[in-house]
Amino acid sequence: MKIALLGYGKMGKVIEKIALERGHEITLRKGRNDSYAGLEKADVAIDFSIPTSAVANISACFENNVPVISGTTGWLEEYDEIVALCQAKNGSFIYGSNFSLGVNIFFELNEYLAKMMANLKQYQVSMEEIHHTQKLDAPSGTAISLANGIIQNTDYTNWTLDEAKTSEIHIEAKRIENIPGTHSIFYDSNVDQIEIKHTAHTREGFALGAVVAAEWIIGKKGIFTMKDVLGLN
């Protein structure tokens, strides 16, 4: 499989390593100021760039009829436009706030727990996410996905980085050197606390999931998620 890497920072380099180990070829390594030369040769593109580059990168893939896997967060206010473009171009697209196989299991656990806690009004939910200091957006896309999973299954209506109202989920976003990603969800009452937590030890889990998604999407048309890739739907 021929892969275009859109974004060639730390994550891009880890994705390259895993892709090569799995027998794939890299046709493009695009940094912030590089051209798209080589994109047209790719069977699939993997975008781990920055929020201000993601929409242009994904659009370029659709224009070149290249399926795209995007793990860049912080650009989702334009998600509906990207979905419309994908459909107009009969493209193939997977966006994931986190491609770690373990995190996607954690997403399912989070929703299951939220359903269990929905009628236990004595508990107030809150979240904490910790990432490396180079991460540009806060809260993380993974934290937002976790919060939305709770909102969809409870009476909570929103998340906030500020002091939370009863109907809101407070997210505390911390940036600490050399932390790949830690996400904790707390249900607090006057008598106890329930906590679930996912801790990433390295970036390789994110990279492996993205490559697995890229392998899976070949030959498919449409808009998918990691639930489709992992057979969780």
Side-chain angles (χ1 to χ4, degrees), residues 35-36 47 62 74 127 145 153 155 167 185 213 232:
S35 75
Y36 290 102
D47 169 60
F62 295 150
M127 298 171 53
S145 292
N153 291 285
D155 292 334
S167 62
I185 299 164
L232 296 175

Side-chain angles (χ1 to χ4, degrees), residues 58-71:
I58 297 165
S59 300
C61 292
F62 295 150
E63 295 294 341
N64 284 274
N65 196 31
V66 176
V68 57
I69 311 298
S70 178

Side-chain angles (χ1 to χ4, degrees), residues 3-232:
I3 301 174
L5 295 178
L6 306 178
Y8 196 56
K10 291 180 180 179
M11 269 301 299
K13 292 180 174 66
V14 178
I15 291 169
E16 176 183 40
K17 173 179 175 289
I18 288 177
L20 294 175
E21 288 173 350
R22 293 171 74 89
H24 305 308
E25 176 185 345
I26 308 300
T27 66
L28 169 62
R29 300 166 178 84
K30 185 183 183 302
R32 188 175 303 182
N33 300 314
D34 299 330
S35 75
Y36 290 102
L39 178 60
E40 72 285 352
K41 300 176 184 177
D43 299 311
V44 64
I46 301 178
D47 169 60
F48 272 80
S49 56
I50 58 175
T52 53
S53 299
V55 171
N57 287 344
I58 297 165
S59 300
C61 292
F62 295 150
E63 295 294 341
N64 284 274
N65 196 31
V66 176
V68 57
I69 311 298
S70 178
T72 305
T73 59
W75 61 272
L76 288 187
E77 64 277 2
E78 297 178 81
Y79 179 79
D80 290 344
E81 296 171 29
I82 285 297
V83 166
L85 181 61
C86 180
Q87 293 169 337
K89 296 291 185 180
N90 192 30
S92 309
F93 180 50
I94 296 176
Y95 165 75
S97 60
N98 195 311
F99 280 90
S100 160
L101 306 183
V103 163
N104 280 276
I105 294 169
F106 190 62
F107 285 152
E108 297 297 302
L109 177 62
N110 171 60
E111 292 189 18
Y112 187 76
L113 179 58
K115 292 174 185 176
M116 293 176 64
M117 302 299 291
N119 293 321
L120 299 176
K121 305 304 181 185
Q122 66 267 39
Y123 287 91
Q124 176 72 28
V125 68
S126 62
M127 298 171 53
E128 177 188 80
E129 60 97 342
I130 310 172
H131 281 86
H132 51 86
T133 52
Q134 289 78 37
K135 185 166 182 59
L136 299 179
D137 54 319
S140 67
T142 301
I144 293 172
S145 292
L146 289 164
N148 286 337
I150 296 169
I151 290 166
Q152 289 162 12
N153 291 285
T154 64
D155 292 334
Y156 288 95
T157 58
N158 197 12
W159 58 265
T160 179
L161 289 169
D162 302 318
E163 185 175 349
K165 301 174 184 175
T166 303
S167 62
E168 294 179 325
I169 302 167
H170 173 66
I171 303 176
E172 184 173 2
K174 297 180 178 178
R175 296 294 173 262
I176 300 173
E177 195 68 35
N178 298 322
I179 301 293
T182 300
H183 294 85
S184 303
I185 299 164
F186 309 97
Y187 287 85
D188 278 291
S189 76
N190 291 332
V191 297
D192 59 10
Q193 180 188 76
I194 299 168
E195 175 186 354
I196 58 173
K197 180 178 182 179
H198 179 274
T199 303
H201 297 309
T202 72
R203 289 183 171 88
E204 292 199 1
F206 312 129
L208 175 61
V211 175
V212 168
E215 294 167 345
W216 180 89
I217 205 171
I218 297 297
K220 298 178 176 70
K221 294 290 185 182
I223 298 159
F224 306 99
T225 69
M226 279 299 285
K227 283 190 176 185
D228 299 302
V229 176
L230 298 176
L232 296 175

